[in-house]
Amino acid sequence: MMRKKQIYPRIYAEETVYSIASRLVLNDVSSSISQSMLNVFDNKNIQLDSILPSFINRLSLVSGCSHDELLDKYSLFQYYTLFSTESVRAQARALLLKENSLDAFKILGLLANRISCHDVHQFCPLCAKEQEAKFGETYWLRAHQLPLTNSCYKHRCRLVSMPKQRKRLVFPSVGYEPSFAISTLEHKLTSFNYAFSQAHHFDPVRLRQAYAVRLINQGLATTRFVRHSLWREQMRVYFDEYMSHDAVFKLLQNDTEYAFPASIFYNDEANHHPLKHLLICTFLFEHVDDFIDAYTQKEPLEVVHSELITPQSEIDELRQSTALMLLKQGLSLRQIIQVVDVSAATVRNIARQHSISLKEQERKVSDSIRRGITIQLIIGRHVADIAKKFNLKKGDVEQILSGQPIIKELRRRIRFYRHRQQARRALIATLYTLKTPTITLLRRSADKEYMWLFKHDKSWLNSFKKLYFKSG
């Protein structure tokens, strides 16, 4: 039998369920954390978390809070279901109350998005100081645990991170000196995230309508289609300081595998990670009130002149003929790319087809820097990161890479091995989240990684299954 608590614990406003549960466990003085977990929750293997917790039923019994109150006020459930339909929210809630957080993640599209969750707890040193002075203890705040939130919405100072540890329950520490060196964009992201954490939910249809109108008014869409390449490129420039962040880089990299941001309009029933909406809102709207006004009052369309849409084939033909004319006039590769809006490869192919020698502009990259860039390319660093490191444009780095077929192949192999490592790790990690592991359940839970390994790494996959699953 689970031990009954005589006195319910103190619960603070905007606290996380991880914080509440951890306090309960630490207040139970036992020989170990595992024993305290067993005493409090009747289960020492519960994974304490604040995003979509599977221990809500057990926590409700010992905290005095209802299931819904814990989910809505103290977890990140409302945040991660903010942009979902009512039926999806209801299904996710039901799954969590059945202690099935894995399927809740799946139905909300959080597994398919492959955007990793925070592996750290975050706190504001000034908030912690205030908590200690007022209550005699510190606790974790929900709004500080949101993805891409690096600063405190209240004090405008940088958050301090502490690694998550399963067997060690931690709370914010007092005594850190606050740092106020945060950018305007950083504060804007925090402001939108905080507003999202306080909202109940958004209607997906009205939300996409607000996005579409703003895109049209900014010239990034028409009433018939989205100018996806232009939109994404402008977002890459806007979020340049965040391109080193893995999730942002994955979403905004120039790769056909990722259709963001235009994919937000593809399917009315699709579930998108809140981070996608955060990036779109921060980019499209000046501030939170601007977004709320556009969403609630339906921003009017500016005057849009109706124009016939030129077929893409005609556009491509015109670009190629213009590029050929400029080549014959003796313009450099860089000048033609800028004027015609085509890739360097396209210009080179046209020049090769018509036996025209390309006029290269004098390179501004010294031999020593070229050697440094080549080394960075060989070890597989992203072109954008290399350009930033050497204070160059991406085109300068790509130009060095273009004449190196061996390095291109090496980088392709590095990307393959990285992908393989990530897929293997994801499969192993998923295995340990399953209460009763089976091959079928493993495949459903990590479908993309499983299928990638089946196609590209089948021998390892078979060995893995043979090792962890007995015959039959």
Side-chain angles (χ1 to χ4, degrees):
M1 287 289 291
M2 187 184 301
R3 189 192 331 184
K4 292 183 179 179
K5 291 287 177 183
Q6 297 296 322
I7 302 174
Y8 289 132
R10 258 198 307 196
I11 297 177
Y12 303 107
E14 296 298 317
E15 186 176 13
T16 68
V17 287
Y18 168 87
S19 191
I20 299 167
S22 297
R23 187 181 301 112
L24 275 166
V25 172
L26 292 177
N27 285 346
D28 182 272
V29 182
S30 296
S31 57
S32 66
I33 293 293
S34 295
Q35 185 59 50
S36 292
M37 291 281 287
L38 193 61
N39 292 342
V40 176
F41 294 114
D42 203 26
N43 186 339
K44 66 179 181 180
N45 296 317
I46 291 176
Q47 180 69 53
L48 298 185
D49 197 8
S50 296
I51 299 174
L52 297 181
S54 60
F55 55 90
I56 288 296
N57 287 336
R58 299 170 186 270
L59 184 57
S60 179
L61 288 174
V62 293
S63 67
C65 278
S66 68
H67 306 129
D68 289 336
E69 190 177 8
L70 285 171
L71 274 180
D72 297 338
K73 290 186 177 181
Y74 301 105
S75 79
L76 298 184
F77 176 78
Q78 290 282 40
Y79 179 85
Y80 280 93
T81 59
L82 192 61
F83 305 98
S84 303
T85 61
E86 187 175 348
S87 62
V88 168
R89 288 198 306 274
Q91 291 178 63
R93 185 183 294 270
L95 286 166
L96 288 176
L97 295 181
K98 291 179 181 176
E99 302 186 1
N100 189 348
S101 60
L102 186 64
D103 282 348
F105 267 90
K106 193 171 183 180
I107 199 170
L108 291 171
L110 299 179
L111 291 179
N113 276 286
R114 290 183 290 175
I115 296 174
S116 59
C117 299
H118 269 330
D119 56 358
V120 294
H121 300 289
Q122 297 192 127
F123 70 94
C124 164
L126 294 178
C127 286
K129 189 176 180 180
E130 290 175 359
Q131 292 165 3
E132 179 74 21
K134 188 173 182 180
F135 304 112
E137 60 183 345
T138 61
Y139 53 92
W140 302 102
L141 288 168
R142 284 195 313 162
H144 292 163
Q145 317 310 320
L146 304 176
L148 233 59
T149 288
N150 299 323
S151 60
C152 177
Y153 60 92
K154 179 181 177 183
H155 296 107
R156 297 198 179 194
C157 65
R158 188 169 297 281
L159 298 177
V160 177
S161 299
M162 292 179 67
K164 289 182 178 178
Q165 299 182 43
R166 178 167 183 161
K167 294 297 183 183
R168 183 169 176 264
L169 305 178
V170 294
F171 283 90
S173 299
V174 178
Y176 281 89
E177 285 297 320
S179 169
F180 297 96
I182 62 171
S183 67
T184 303
L185 177 58
E186 198 169 358
H187 179 65
K188 189 178 179 183
L189 283 165
T190 296
S191 299
F192 269 97
N193 245 347
Y194 181 67
F196 288 168
S197 72
Q198 303 301 303
H200 182 58
H201 73 274
F202 292 106
D203 175 52
V205 175
R206 179 181 285 191
L207 187 67
R208 282 194 291 273
Q209 184 181 27
Y211 290 165
V213 171
R214 183 56 61 97
L215 285 168
I216 293 170
N217 288 343
Q218 290 188 3
L220 296 174
T222 70
T223 53
R224 298 181 63 179
F225 64 89
V226 176
R227 295 190 170 98
H228 182 214
S229 296
L230 178 61
W231 184 14
R232 177 153 61 176
E233 187 54 39
Q234 287 194 15
M235 286 188 73
R236 285 173 62 85
V237 173
Y238 187 81
F239 291 106
D240 180 63
E241 67 185 84
Y242 280 87
M243 288 303 289
S244 59
H245 190 286
D246 185 57
V248 177
F249 179 80
K250 281 182 179 178
L251 289 174
L252 295 178
Q253 66 175 313
N254 287 322
D255 191 321
T256 54
E257 181 183 353
Y258 297 95
F260 179 79
S263 59
I264 214 80
F265 296 105
Y266 287 176
N267 185 347
D268 289 347
E269 299 300 318
N271 287 289
H272 296 281
H273 196 286
L275 180 59
K276 295 182 179 180
H277 290 279
L278 175 66
L279 293 175
I280 290 174
C281 286
T282 307
F283 172 77
L284 286 179
F285 302 97
E286 292 298 319
H287 43 73
V288 173
D289 288 341
D290 181 30
F291 163 65
I292 297 300
D293 288 345
Y295 174 77
T296 56
Q297 300 177 20
K298 295 187 178 179
E299 177 182 1
L301 269 174
E302 295 177 2
V303 178
V304 179
H305 299 287
S306 178
E307 298 177 358
L308 292 174
I309 298 176
T310 306
Q312 188 63 41
S313 57
E314 290 185 22
I315 295 174
D316 292 341
E317 186 177 344
L318 177 62
R319 285 175 174 171
Q320 291 188 18
S321 62
T322 305
L324 178 59
M325 178 186 70
L326 296 177
L327 278 167
K328 290 178 178 178
Q329 291 177 4
L331 268 71
S332 68
L333 175 66
R334 186 183 296 278
Q335 290 172 320
I336 296 172
I337 290 171
Q338 291 174 343
V339 172
V340 188
D341 190 24
V342 292
S343 68
T346 299
V347 178
R348 289 193 180 94
N349 288 335
I350 295 171
R352 194 179 301 113
Q353 290 169 9
H354 294 84
S355 302
I356 299 174
S357 298
L358 269 173
K359 180 182 177 183
E360 300 275 355
Q361 286 185 334
E362 184 179 348
R363 290 194 175 103
K364 63 181 180 182
V365 182
S366 66
D367 290 340
S368 61
I369 292 179
R370 284 176 65 84
R371 284 195 295 272
I373 291 173
T374 303
I375 292 170
Q376 296 293 311
L377 288 169
I378 289 172
I379 64 178
R381 287 197 67 184
H382 295 295
V383 169
D385 292 339
I386 298 173
K388 190 173 182 179
K389 179 181 176 67
F390 289 94
N391 196 26
L392 298 169
K393 293 181 179 178
K394 280 179 56 181
D396 298 322
V397 180
E398 288 169 347
Q399 187 177 21
I400 295 171
L401 178 61
S402 63
Q404 306 282 351
I406 295 176
I407 296 179
K408 282 185 176 180
E409 174 60 21
L410 175 63
R411 287 170 64 80
R412 186 193 67 77
R413 291 186 182 184
I414 289 173
R415 286 195 297 271
F416 172 83
Y417 290 128
R418 282 178 180 165
H419 197 156
R420 187 180 72 177
Q421 184 185 49
Q422 290 170 358
R424 287 179 177 182
R425 286 179 174 176
L427 209 65
I428 294 170
T430 302
L431 178 70
Y432 286 103
T433 65
L434 304 176
K435 288 185 178 179
T436 54
T438 64
I439 294 177
T440 302
L441 187 56
L442 178 66
R443 180 174 175 178
R444 286 177 183 170
S445 303
D447 183 61
K448 287 190 176 181
E449 289 79 7
Y450 187 98
M451 292 308 300
W452 190 92
L453 291 166
F454 182 80
K455 290 178 182 178
H456 304 287
D457 197 16
K458 197 170 183 178
S459 59
W460 180 89
L461 181 62
N462 289 337
S463 300
F464 172 78
K465 290 191 293 186
K466 192 178 294 184
L467 178 64
Y468 285 96
F469 299 97
K470 299 290 173 95
S471 59

